[in-house]
Amino acid sequence: MQKDQTLCFRGKCLLTCLYGRVEVMGFTIEEGQESYPLFSPASHCPLTVRTLETSGPNRDPRTDAARILQEHLPTASRKKLLKQMTPTSSIILLEPMESRLTRFLSSFPDLSELFSPPMSELISAVFDTPLNGLGVIPLVSSVEGLSMSKSYRDALNTVVSACRGDMDGCAVIFVCGARNVGKSTFIRTLINTLLNHTTSVDYLEGDLGQTEFTPAGCLSFSTVKEPLLGPPFTHQWTPEHMIYYGQPSCDSDMDRYLESLKFLWRRRSQSRETPVIINTMGWVKGFGFQLLVDMIRFFPVSHVVQLDKSELSQSAALTPEFLRTAQGYQTHPPAQTALDEFTESHHPPRSYTHLAVQSDFQGVARQGTSKHQRSNEHRELSLLAYLSQLQSADLGPVRPLHSLTPYQVPYTAVALGVVHCEVAPSHMFYAVNGSLVGLCCLAEKVTNRGGPVLLSQAPICPCVGFGVLRGIDKERGLYFLLTPVDPSVLRNVNCLLLGAISLPACILTSQPGFDGETPYVTTDYSFDLSGAGKMRIFKGLTRPSHLGLH
């Protein structure tokens, strides 16, 4: 690849830079570095690999490249490639990549083409290219990758410069904007760019619906040390600190939302000098806007990056001047920089840098042919990616969830709670059976008097992961739980929380190898009956025949 040349593609591969330098989504990959996995699925804007100017004077590119290519190409091909080498050229190696994530996702019929581009995006001449065999397909010139406006680039440069030492203290970057303005993509690009200059970046997740590292419904605090070269479902991991809120929006309990964010911030080491990025929800009107005002006051924000699609903003500019008189949900003018009860001390009003970004980012929608674009589909992909951790790391066949051996958890070991609605105690088992649950750690010890322990209200407590409650044995007092969480961590779990985050329909309806009737399944239901539509899809998770629930 020559200087400033780009490769915009769909697919998945391992990229190694053999010679020179390339950039992917803000992250620079240089000669001598490790290989990096690239994910460019149909659900998101396609990735672009761009060549950067090669550093290092007094290098003979053909001599150096010839030495490097000896182990990769035969003589004839090597000579042909070397003729195209210039001092600014880069050479990249793309290798096929498969993982338990990609195998698990592709096992579902609706997702089998997730990493395969539609025919309308292909160049007719590429069908014989070696990239085809890698699962990497170059796209036609009319298909673009991420488009950055001038204000987009300026905001990135301003924040990166501040984090590199142009300001006192640690940069805390607060990113906000309405839905579908490219907020998450901006954050990934910012994190990747910062990782060119620092070993890690801290990240506070405040967006319940479009989470970056966890299934939806979570608030979390993570330390990012590796570049994010794909959409959220390709880098699911367990954060340092996490709370299971249990809903994709916080409009039903905004106080618990704010208190949960404060809980996570208190757990962050205050002595760290790592840049912090705070992500927010796309709710920027009414109470949602008031929550943004509160969050800027609660946290020591140094930069507010406010994204919008057009000159006609959907909300007021969150400048320091505006914040002095703005009405928050929990805070009121005259504004404080931070609440006394949160920081345990009063601080005078503090200034920060406000960066307004007019985003040209249009997502994948402008291509018109991409799949899985809706928010609920993105949430399902992230949850499926999390559940893929139940599969063996060996490249063997995909095992359906009903074939995996669950943990047996006694009633007496854990409490059950529902965080998104009220459920009568007599109906609790029906609600949680066959559902996703958060694995949480209550501070107080669970006490049992013979039956199951039920919580009366939603707690704010650490969450260490998720599981599928795939069966309940009432006679023996056991829950049957599937989870990828390590047993050493599970020993600390004493609470199972049910939220509004449902298992994807494909898990419940498309698992192979199941015979006989499945529980909770009927086609005879009424849309007029509350909850009937949800009960209809409870299909794919089976239970041992001796269970006491029918």
Side-chain angles (χ1 to χ4, degrees):
M1 296 178 66
Q2 307 301 339
K3 180 187 175 184
D4 293 328
Q5 187 177 0
T6 60
L7 169 65
C8 184
F9 72 95
R10 288 282 189 219
K12 52 182 170 55
C13 66
L14 279 175
L15 183 150
T16 308
C17 186
L18 299 178
Y19 182 86
R21 298 192 308 158
V22 296
E23 181 254 5
V24 184
M25 209 170 183
F27 185 72
T28 300
I29 303 174
E30 299 184 356
E31 174 185 344
Q33 289 183 337
E34 62 182 290
S35 301
Y36 289 95
L38 306 186
F39 297 91
S40 186
S43 55
H44 290 74
C45 182
L47 277 186
T48 300
V49 181
R50 181 170 65 91
T51 307
L52 302 176
E53 184 173 354
T54 304
S55 58
N58 304 321
R59 293 191 66 179
D60 183 347
R62 294 191 179 184
T63 302
D64 292 342
R67 173 179 50 80
I68 294 170
L69 292 173
Q70 280 183 350
E71 61 179 288
H72 299 289
L73 292 176
T75 302
S77 299
R78 188 166 67 247
K79 288 181 177 180
K80 184 178 179 181
L81 187 148
L82 290 174
K83 289 180 181 179
Q84 305 175 42
M85 287 292 296
T86 69
T88 59
S89 298
S90 293
I91 301 175
I92 60 174
L93 173 66
L94 303 182
E95 300 176 271
M97 177 183 63
E98 199 70 76
S99 66
R100 58 185 175 185
L101 165 66
T102 57
R103 288 186 296 113
F104 186 66
L105 293 180
S106 62
S107 69
F108 298 100
D110 289 344
L111 301 175
S112 60
E113 297 182 352
L114 184 62
F115 290 99
S116 302
M119 294 298 294
S120 59
E121 292 187 355
L122 295 179
I123 306 175
S124 59
V126 306
F127 288 104
D128 294 327
T129 180
L131 295 181
N132 233 353
L134 298 177
V136 176
I137 307 296
L139 302 181
V140 294
S141 58
S142 61
V143 177
E144 299 178 5
L146 175 64
S147 175
M148 293 188 186
S149 64
K150 183 180 183 301
S151 59
Y152 197 108
R153 292 185 181 276
D154 289 345
L156 280 172
N157 292 335
T158 298
V159 173
V160 171
S161 295
C163 293
R164 294 185 67 184
D166 293 351
M167 62 168 287
D168 295 330
C170 176
V172 178
I173 304 103
F174 184 87
V175 183
C176 60
R179 297 174 181 173
N180 300 319
V181 297
K183 188 166 72 267
S184 296
T185 304
F186 177 88
I187 288 177
R188 282 194 289 276
T189 305
L190 175 58
I191 289 175
N192 290 342
T193 306
L194 288 172
L195 287 176
N196 293 327
H197 310 286
T198 184
T199 57
S200 64
V201 178
D202 287 343
Y203 176 85
L204 179 63
E205 181 63 84
D207 188 346
L208 291 163
Q210 299 299 320
T211 47
E212 189 67 33
F213 303 114
T214 69
C218 293
L219 300 170
S220 63
F221 185 88
S222 301
T223 298
V224 186
K225 297 182 179 180
E226 296 293 333
L228 309 177
L229 305 178
F233 74 86
T234 64
H235 45 254
Q236 294 287 294
W237 66 54
T238 301
E240 290 179 74
H241 308 290
M242 177 169 60
I243 288 176
Y244 186 47
Y245 185 87
Q247 299 186 71
S249 177
C250 70
D251 54 345
S252 63
D253 194 345
M254 292 180 286
D255 285 307
R256 184 162 67 95
Y257 172 79
L258 290 174
E259 295 307 314
S260 297
L261 288 174
K262 295 177 189 178
F263 178 91
L264 292 169
W265 187 264
R266 289 189 188 101
R267 296 212 159 198
R268 171 182 177 266
S269 173
Q270 301 303 315
S271 62
R272 295 167 72 155
E273 297 182 359
T274 307
V276 184
I277 297 174
I278 301 176
N279 189 23
T280 60
M281 295 181 294
W283 186 19
V284 297
K285 295 183 178 180
F287 286 125
F289 186 75
Q290 292 182 10
L291 292 176
L292 296 178
V293 170
D294 284 339
M295 291 171 68
I296 296 175
R297 289 176 179 157
F298 290 154
F299 307 120
V301 173
S302 63
H303 295 77
V304 171
V305 180
Q306 193 168 4
L307 287 86
D308 218 319
K309 271 188 177 181
S310 63
E311 297 297 334
L312 184 60
S313 177
Q314 297 193 38
S315 59
L318 286 165
T319 62
E321 294 75 22
F322 174 82
L323 208 73
R324 291 191 183 100
T325 58
Q327 180 78 21
Y329 177 70
Q330 288 188 351
T331 63
H332 313 284
Q336 298 166 256
T337 299
L339 290 183
D340 296 345
E341 60 87 18
F342 179 43
T343 62
E344 298 181 355
S345 63
H346 178 76
H347 295 271
R350 163 186 42 80
S351 185
Y352 53 85
T353 301
H354 178 265
L355 301 169
V357 175
Q358 297 301 320
S359 176
D360 290 337
F361 178 72
Q362 300 295 322
V364 294
R366 65 174 165 187
Q367 313 302 347
T369 53
S370 298
K371 301 178 180 180
H372 315 294
Q373 299 175 26
R374 294 189 295 270
S375 296
N376 66 311
E377 291 177 309
H378 289 179
R379 289 194 284 269
E380 288 193 350
L381 284 170
S382 291
L383 185 47
L384 286 172
Y386 183 86
L387 294 176
S388 73
Q389 299 175 63
L390 288 165
Q391 301 294 317
S392 171
D394 299 330
L395 295 182
V398 172
R399 298 181 60 189
L401 265 62
H402 61 74
S403 71
L404 303 177
T405 304
Y407 291 99
Q408 297 184 22
V409 184
Y411 285 177
T412 56
V414 294
L416 278 182
V418 178
V419 296
H420 66 291
C421 65
E422 292 186 7
V423 175
S426 58
H427 292 170
M428 181 68 80
F429 282 169
Y430 295 104
V432 300
N433 195 30
S435 297
L436 181 80
V437 291
L439 310 180
C440 302
C441 305
L442 297 173
E444 60 272 19
K445 184 178 179 180
V446 173
T447 56
N448 180 276
R449 296 182 180 177
V453 181
L454 306 180
L455 299 179
S456 58
Q457 60 184 14
I460 296 177
C461 60
C463 176
V464 298
F466 299 89
V468 177
L469 194 62
R470 68 173 299 265
I472 301 174
D473 188 335
K474 295 182 69 175
E475 294 179 1
R476 294 194 294 163
L478 295 174
Y479 303 125
F480 292 89
L481 185 72
L482 289 172
T483 177
V485 176
D486 189 86
S488 62
V489 178
L490 286 178
R491 293 190 183 98
N492 300 318
V493 173
N494 60 358
C495 176
L496 306 180
L497 293 184
L498 173 70
I501 309 302
S502 301
L503 289 171
C506 60
I507 285 286
L508 303 167
T509 61
S510 302
Q511 292 195 91
F514 175 71
D515 297 322
E517 289 191 18
T518 51
Y520 290 91
V521 176
T522 178
T523 56
D524 182 19
Y525 64 94
S526 170
F527 282 111
D528 296 330
L529 179 63
S530 176
K534 182 176 180 181
M535 296 297 286
R536 176 176 59 93
I537 67 169
F538 274 15
K539 179 179 179 181
L541 296 175
T542 65
R543 299 166 296 168
S545 59
H546 62 264
L547 295 188
L549 291 180
H550 302 284

